[in-house]
Amino acid sequence: MTTFTIPITVPGAKSRGLSRRARLILSRLLVLVVLAGTWQLLYWSGALPEVAPDIGQIVTALAAVLLSAAFWVAVGQTLFGAFSGWGIAAVVGVVLGVAIGTNGFLSRSVGVVVEFGRSFPMLALMPVIVLVIGVNARMEILMVFLSCLWPILIQAIAGSRRQDQAVADTVAVFRISPLRRFWRVTVPGALPLISTGLRIAASISILVAVGVGVLSQTPGLGRQITMAQEASRWDVAFAYIIFAGLVGWALNSAIAAVESRALKWNRQEA
Amino acid sequence: MRFIRTTAEKCWLVVVLVLLWWFTSAGSENVFFPPLATILETLWRDLANGLLIGYLGFSLGNLLLGLTFAIVIGVALGLLIGEIRWLREALDPFVNFARSVPQAALVPLIVGTFGLGPGPKIYTIAFACVFPILLNTIDGVRGIEPTIRRFGKVYRIPPARYFRRVVLPGALPQIFAGIRVALPIGITVMVVSELFAANRGVGFYILNSSSTFQMAQTWAGAVLVGIIGYAITLIFSRIERIPLRWYFTSGAMAK
C-alpha cells in the first residue's frame, strides 16, 4: 500500500507474535518518551528559559492541578461560557442560515457580509465590548456567540441551498407542499453541512472562551493560565494548557461521535 | 447588463448595512458608539499621519513570517507523516491533541515570558497556523490515488523526486485548503498577541485607545482589522488559483 513503509523498530516488539494493536500502543508510548526526553535534554542543556519546568515538575503540576478545586471551577466556567455562546449561535445561525439559503435572492446577496464576518477576528472587538458591558460572563458569552455564528451560518446557508436536481424535479412533479418540502427535503439535506458547522463552531467556542479569559481576566481556564504565567509558574501554566487541550479534544470527539450516530443515513453515499 | 445585476445583487446588502450604521450613529451622543463618520475620520487621520501604517507593517510582518514558518514546517512534516504509515499512526493522538490546544492559551506563556518583541508573536502565530496546514497536508497525501503511487514504485522514481513531483502536487489542493483555514486563525492570534502585551501593532492601537477611552480610535482599529482580514482572504483566494490552475480546470472541483 504505502511506498515507503519503514519497518517498525519498537524495542520489545521483536517477537512477531505481538499484535498490531500492541505495537501501535508501544509506538505511541515511544513517541511520548521521545517528546518528554527531548524536553528534558533541552532543559538540562540550558536551552530553555530559566522559568521552564522539567518533566518531573510538569507531571507533579499536572497532578496538583487536577486535584485542585480551582481547576474544576475554571473548567466549569470556561465550558459554561463556551456552551452558552455556542448554543445561542447554533439557534440563530441555523434559523438565519436556512431562511437565507432557501431564498435564492438573499443567498446571493449575503456573500460579502458573511465572508467579512467570517474573516473578522472577533477578539479584536473585545476591548469595545468590555468597555460597553464590562468584564463578566455575559461579555464572554457574547464574544463566543459572535465568533461561532459565522461558521454555522455559512454551513446552514450552503446546506439548505444545495439541491439535487432530481430531488427538485421529484418535488415539482409530485406537487409536494412547500412546508412538507421544507421539513422532509430541505432540512434533512442541510443537516450534514449544518452539523459540520456546529462542530467547527464548538472548537472555536472553546478557543474564544479561553482567549477571552487570557485577555480580560474573566474567570476560567484562560485567566488561570495568565495568572500562572504572571507568577512565573510555568509548570502550572503548562498543566492548564495541557488540560485545555484535552477539554477541546474531548469535546471534538464527543461531537464527532454524536454526528456519526445521528447522520448514519448520510454515510451511504460515501 | 447581467454583470451589473449580479454586482448589484452582491453589493446592495453591504451598502445598506453601512448606510444604516452611518445614519443611526450620526450625531450619536453615546460615548461607546461614536458616529461612523467620526470613526472613519479617525481611521483616515491615523493612516495618513503614518502611525497606523507603521503598526500595520509590524503586525502584518509578524503574520507573514509566522505563516511562512507554519507552511514550511506543516507541509514538510505533513508530507512525511502522510507518506509513512507507522509514523502517522504513532503520532495521530499527539497531533490531534496539539491542535485542540486553544491557540490563545499559549499567548501568555510565550509573549508574557519572552517579552514584547516580534519573535514571541511570530512563534505563537506559527504554532497556531501549523496544525490546519499539517492535518490538511496529511489528508492530501492520503488522498493520492493508489495507482499513482504504484506507478511511482514501478518506475523506481527516486524518493526526492517522488516527493517533489508526485506527492507534493497531489497534495497541493489540500495544502492550500489548510492555508485558507490557517489565515483567519493567524490573524486572530496576531491580534490577541498584541492585545495581550505589545508596544506596537494594530492590536496595541486598539488596546491603547480603549484603555484611554478613545472610543473612535478603538472602533477605527477594529474596523481596520476587519478590512485587513477580509482583504487577506480575498487576495489569497486569487493567489491560490495560480498554482492550482490545473486543479480548477481539471473538473475535480465539480465532483
Side-chain angles (χ1 to χ4, degrees), chain A residues 211-224:
Chain A
V212 167
V214 162
L215 290 174
S216 77
Q217 310 302 310
T218 327
L221 286 174
R223 184 180 181 206
Q224 297 291 334

Side-chain angles (χ1 to χ4, degrees), chain A:
Chain A
M1 206 172 102
T2 37
T3 323
F4 293 106
T5 314
I6 293 174
I8 300 177
T9 45
V10 179
K14 274 174 206 141
S15 59
R16 292 199 75 98
L18 218 52
S19 75
R20 229 181 84 73
R21 197 172 168 72
R23 271 197 290 186
L24 193 61
I25 292 171
L26 270 179
S27 62
R28 285 176 179 174
L29 280 178
L30 181 74
V31 172
L32 194 61
V33 170
V34 167
L35 286 177
T38 314
W39 180 268
Q40 194 63 27
L41 282 178
L42 283 173
Y43 177 82
W44 279 326
S45 74
L48 295 173
E50 257 173 58
V51 276
D54 73 349
I55 290 297
Q57 286 165 313
I58 294 177
V59 173
T60 321
L62 278 175
V65 164
L66 201 60
L67 292 173
S68 70
F71 167 71
W72 293 102
V73 173
V75 169
Q77 284 159 334
T78 297
L79 281 181
F80 174 74
F83 269 128
S84 318
W86 178 78
I88 301 171
V91 174
V92 175
V94 170
V95 171
L96 260 183
V98 172
I100 293 171
T102 44
N103 181 322
F105 172 68
L106 270 184
S107 60
R108 284 192 297 275
S109 303
V110 293
V112 177
V113 175
V114 168
E115 273 302 313
F116 187 82
R118 169 162 68 170
S119 53
F120 190 94
M122 288 297 165
L123 285 167
L125 268 184
M126 215 185 75
V128 178
I129 293 174
V130 164
L131 283 180
V132 177
I133 61 178
V135 177
N136 50 38
R138 268 200 358 250
M139 183 272 292
E140 186 178 358
I141 293 171
L142 180 61
M143 289 306 307
V144 174
F145 163 74
L146 283 176
S147 314
C148 288
L149 178 64
W150 303 100
I152 300 176
L153 188 63
I154 288 169
Q155 292 292 107
I157 295 175
S160 44
R161 237 183 128 170
R162 78 169 178 174
Q163 184 73 261
D164 198 338
Q165 194 52 48
V167 174
D169 290 345
T170 313
V171 167
V173 165
F174 285 97
R175 302 195 182 182
I176 292 168
S177 74
L179 192 69
R180 198 183 156 94
R181 171 191 169 164
F182 177 77
W183 284 115
R184 305 305 294 267
V185 179
T186 310
V187 171
L191 269 183
L193 287 191
I194 290 178
S195 88
T196 307
L198 291 176
R199 188 155 42 90
I200 298 171
S203 36
I204 293 179
S205 73
I206 294 281
L207 158 68
V208 174
V210 172
V212 167
V214 162
L215 290 174
S216 77
Q217 310 302 310
T218 327
L221 286 174
R223 184 180 181 206
Q224 297 291 334
I225 297 170
T226 308
M227 282 183 357
Q229 181 268 321
E230 277 165 359
S232 293
R233 289 295 301 272
W234 267 42
D235 49 344
V236 178
F238 261 52
Y240 270 102
I241 288 176
I242 289 172
F243 285 125
L246 286 179
V247 168
W249 191 13
L251 190 70
N252 241 329
S253 339
I255 294 179
V258 171
E259 193 183 319
S260 71
R261 202 171 249 252
L263 297 174
K264 223 173 220 163
W265 55 270
N266 190 47
R267 292 283 174 274
Q268 61 202 21
E269 302 171 13

Side-chain angles (χ1 to χ4, degrees), chain B:
Chain B
M1 197 54 215
R2 197 164 157 221
F3 172 76
I4 297 173
R5 227 192 105 190
T6 49
T7 317
E9 240 179 9
K10 266 186 189 164
C11 298
W12 71 268
L13 192 62
V14 183
V15 175
V16 166
L17 286 176
V18 172
L19 286 179
L20 202 69
W21 187 4
W22 183 281
F23 286 111
T24 49
S25 70
S28 157
E29 297 290 317
N30 190 328
V31 203
F32 297 124
F33 300 101
L36 182 55
T38 319
I39 296 173
L40 293 181
E41 242 167 62
T42 316
L43 181 59
W44 177 247
R45 186 196 69 207
D46 284 346
L47 276 175
N49 67 21
L51 177 74
L52 267 177
I53 300 284
Y55 284 175
L56 261 183
F58 177 76
S59 299
L60 292 181
N62 289 350
L63 178 66
L64 194 68
L65 272 173
L67 204 60
T68 311
F69 283 134
I71 292 173
V72 171
I73 297 169
V75 170
L77 279 181
L79 292 181
L80 265 180
I81 296 176
E83 197 61 31
I84 303 172
R85 187 165 152 209
W86 69 268
L87 199 61
R88 189 171 70 249
E89 288 176 345
L91 287 179
D92 179 64
F94 300 95
V95 173
N96 270 315
F97 162 74
R99 87 154 161 181
S100 305
V101 171
Q103 298 96 341
L106 294 164
V107 170
L109 210 58
I110 302 184
V111 177
T113 309
F114 294 96
L116 303 179
K121 297 190 168 63
I122 295 170
Y123 302 146
T124 342
I125 295 171
F127 183 86
C129 293
V130 88
F131 290 102
I133 299 174
L134 176 68
L135 290 165
N136 271 286
T137 308
I138 296 175
D139 278 352
V141 174
R142 297 313 310 151
I144 295 172
E145 289 224 19
T147 330
I148 297 178
R149 287 172 190 284
R150 269 182 233 127
F151 262 109
K153 203 171 185 182
V154 167
Y155 284 105
R156 299 195 182 187
I157 300 174
R161 203 187 157 110
Y162 174 78
F163 266 103
R164 204 160 45 86
R165 303 303 295 267
V166 180
V167 182
L168 185 61
L172 210 54
Q174 278 285 316
I175 293 175
F176 273 93
I179 300 174
R180 211 179 315 131
V181 176
L183 271 178
I185 296 177
I187 297 172
T188 303
V189 174
M190 170 192 95
V191 174
V192 169
S193 71
E194 290 169 2
L195 284 177
F196 184 79
N199 49 17
R200 263 182 297 168
V202 186
F204 167 74
Y205 178 81
I206 297 176
L207 183 70
N208 192 38
S209 29
S210 86
S211 55
T212 51
F213 289 96
Q214 289 170 303
M215 293 309 294
Q217 289 192 21
T218 316
W219 277 103
V223 168
L224 182 65
V225 170
I227 296 172
I228 297 170
Y230 187 56
I232 291 178
T233 317
L234 269 190
I235 294 170
F236 183 74
S237 64
R238 288 280 174 281
I239 294 178
E240 74 171 344
R241 287 190 167 260
I242 302 168
L244 291 182
R245 192 171 291 140
W246 60 271
Y247 179 68
F248 282 110
T249 50
S250 70
M253 287 289 283
K255 266 199 273 188

